[in-house]
Structure formats: structure tokens, C-alpha cells
Amino acid sequence: MAGPDPAVAALRSAVRPGLAATTGPVLVACSGGADSVALAAALAFEAPRAGRPVGAVTVDHGLQAGSADQARRTAELLRSLRLSPVLVVPVTVGTAGGPEGAARDARAAALAAAAAEHRATVALGHTLDDQAETVLLGLARGSGPRSVAGMVEHRPPFWRPLLGLRRETTRAACAAQQLPVWDDPWNTDPAYTRVRLRTEVLPLLEEVLGGGVAPALGRTAAMLREDLDALDSLAAAELDALQGPDGGLPAGPLAELPAALRRRVLRGWLHRSGVRDLQAVHLAAVDALLTRWRGQGRADLPGGTGVVRTSGRLEVQRGAVPGPRTGRQPARPTAVPPEEH
């Protein structure tokens, strides 16, 4: 007896290890496009064999005419695959971050809420092609190595089992199983940067460099993630050793650390202290209290907090400082994106 089509087999093989590694329900996030439909079909086949209940969630962004009808058709397809429950979640998309960013944030919030409600892992259909686009976007932003390291396979509650497969494989798997696919018109609109990367930049790189660009970018991201994870682990250990009972850090020992490690310690310390939305200019200002100390005043941070150096230690201050201040006081930037984690 002949086995499944090679593309179908590739999808099923991709989801099998993750299903065996953990327990609990899975919800596949499905837009109706080839990537998520192929993932849904693979999970519908493999999850029961792994003893994992599997359902689905489709998010209606309400941004296109007929979006509710498309969400309904996607839900019907998912139910025909015997997934249960199948959730249709309408969201309100804001304006912060532009249309792409706002839609992404609304979708992520809806999926995280569904995961929490059902105590489930949410499977996402990002492929190797999506990973390559993400790495290129990170390079262009220059927002730090984490953004160049791309997407991770497991970051609870999200799971991306298809990062090693090409987009053409998911489309072939859908065709082999006669599964209908919805092609979102936004995915071909050149007004969006990611679309131009997909349709113009990556094909040009493939032509100029002789092919294999997307897999090479994926390998680079994976190797970079290993290095970054190791550095983050070392920084966490240094922070545990250096941070005093008062929450402060000794300036002298911290200044002696290599820059890559020192800045990670600072970032971890500030996160522990409740400082969020850190950007590169903020971290540089705090680092200057160690490496370019000239008696300068407070380094201001988001949320009305700041860091001062006093008696050879760094301390977090909360609230605005009254009266005139001296020293370097960087305003919160708007053009430099935060380093991604």
C-alpha cells in the first residue's frame, strides 16, 4: 500500500516530535491559508495518535469585506477535519504599530486568551520562509541580535512546528489532500514590507547568491539563538551573584564584565525591577554610568523610573525627580525599536 504524499508525510513528521514531547490540548491557529490549513490537517491526523486532544481557533480581524464569512468557512473546514473545539474569535484591531503590527498584536492577544481559557498549546503555521523574512526584517531594523535570531519553535503558549519546512511544501500538502486554501489578498499587497521581502528581495537574493538563502538564514538564526541563550544564562547567574539585598548592583565588579554580558545583566536587573519597554538608548545611558562615569546624574527610563549611581552602586529610582537635573538625561526615543526577546 502506498504511503501518503511526500508533502503530507513531511507535515506529519514535523508535528510528531512536539506532540510527543508535551501533554495537554492543542489549538491550531488557522487563517484558512495553505500554511495553517496544512498544519491543521497534520495535527488532525497525528494528535489523536499521540493522545492529545486537538481543536482550532480562527481569528476574524474584521479588516476586510466578508471577513466574517471567510472565518465561518474556515471553521467549517476545520470541523470537517474533526477538530474540536473550533473557535471563531472576532477582534478589534487598533492603530498602534501600523496595520500589520496592530493586527498581529490583536491576533496574538486573542490566541493567548484562547490558550489560557483551554489550557492549551497554540500551534502556529510559520514556515522556514517566514523565518527568513523575519531574520531579514531584524537585520534591517538593527534592533539587536534577538531580532536577528528569528522565531523560536517553543515559547509557551505558542508552538511553531513548521519552521523547518518551506511554504511550497504546505501548499503541496493541501493540494494532495484536496483541501481548499484561502489566499489572503494582503499577502500579495506590495504596500506591506514583508510582502516585498517575499516577492522581490528574497527571490533576488536567491538569484544573486545561487539559491539556498532561506535555509541559510534559518540556520544562522538557529546558531545565533544558541549563542544568545548561553549568554543569557551566564548573565542571569552574574545577576544573581551581584544583586544585593537592597536590589542594587555594585558598579565596580559590573563594569569589569565584557560588554555583551554586562548589558545583559543590566537588562535583566531592570526587568526584575519592573522597568519595561527598554530601548537601546536607555540601556546605553545606564551602561554609561559604569563605563563613562563622570559624576553624571540620573539616566531616565520609561515609566517615570531612572537609574542613579551613588556610593559605588547602581540603584533604581521611581518617580520623577523634582527640580533641575544635571548630566545626561535621554528622552524616550520613538524611532529606535526595542530589542526583541
Side-chain angles (χ1 to χ4, degrees):
M1 180 182 296
D5 179 90
V8 175
L11 266 293
R12 293 175 180 176
S13 295
V15 303
R16 207 172 291 141
L19 288 173
T22 57
T23 59
V26 177
L27 290 172
V28 56
C30 187
S31 65
D35 300 340
S36 57
V37 168
L39 176 59
L43 286 170
F45 184 86
E46 291 290 339
R49 289 160 173 77
R52 305 280 300 275
V54 58
V57 54
T58 184
V59 177
D60 176 13
H61 299 86
L63 297 176
Q64 300 179 40
S67 65
D69 290 337
Q70 174 54 40
R72 176 185 51 78
R73 287 191 292 270
T74 299
E76 290 173 355
L77 170 63
L78 295 166
R79 292 187 184 103
S80 74
L81 294 172
R82 299 184 179 180
L83 301 183
S84 179
V86 173
L87 313 172
V88 177
V89 182
V91 297
T92 300
V93 177
T95 58
E100 285 179 289
R104 182 174 59 248
D105 290 345
R107 180 169 60 251
L111 294 176
E117 179 182 354
H118 294 269
R119 298 182 180 181
T121 296
V122 174
L124 304 174
H126 296 121
T127 66
L128 178 59
D129 298 87
D130 296 304
Q131 182 75 297
E133 294 161 12
T134 299
V135 172
L136 286 176
L137 285 170
L139 283 169
R141 289 199 301 261
S143 52
R146 274 293 171 194
S147 63
V148 182
M151 297 176 282
V152 297
E153 181 175 352
H154 292 280
R155 178 167 290 165
F158 300 115
W159 170 41
R160 298 177 176 88
L162 306 186
L163 289 177
L165 297 182
R166 301 301 301 267
R167 192 173 286 134
E168 62 192 27
T169 303
T170 64
R171 190 166 289 274
C174 290
Q177 297 169 96
Q178 298 183 325
L179 296 171
V181 168
W182 175 61
D183 290 315
D184 187 343
W186 280 20
N187 288 338
T188 57
D189 187 344
Y192 299 108
T193 302
R194 188 176 283 269
V195 171
R196 297 196 67 187
L197 278 176
R198 181 178 306 153
T199 59
E200 300 176 34
V201 176
L202 275 167
L204 179 60
L205 287 174
E206 293 278 349
E207 177 186 340
V208 172
L209 299 177
V213 171
L217 290 170
R219 290 193 302 272
T220 299
M223 290 186 288
L224 185 54
R225 280 197 304 275
E226 290 180 350
D227 292 347
L228 294 174
D229 289 345
L231 280 170
D232 287 346
S233 179
L234 291 171
E238 289 285 353
L239 177 55
D240 289 338
L242 291 173
Q243 188 169 13
D246 62 350
L249 289 176
L254 188 55
E256 294 175 0
L257 295 177
L261 195 56
R262 184 179 66 246
R263 292 195 178 213
R264 280 172 169 77
V265 172
L266 288 174
R267 187 186 297 114
W269 174 59
L270 293 169
H271 283 169
R272 281 188 188 181
S273 302
V275 181
R276 297 292 183 262
D277 299 324
L278 279 173
Q279 300 182 7
V281 68
H282 299 130
L283 202 57
V286 176
D287 193 48
L289 297 176
L290 299 170
T291 60
R292 298 192 299 278
W293 174 242
R294 300 184 302 275
Q296 63 264 41
R298 178 171 116 154
D300 284 346
L301 301 174
T305 60
V307 172
V308 295
R309 177 167 172 165
T310 177
S311 300
R313 295 179 63 77
L314 297 187
E315 297 178 0
V316 173
Q317 283 187 342
R318 303 189 186 282
V321 176
R325 298 193 298 273
T326 60
R328 184 178 179 181
Q329 306 292 337
R332 180 175 179 176
T334 57
V336 181
E339 183 165 356
E340 298 178 5
H341 293 274

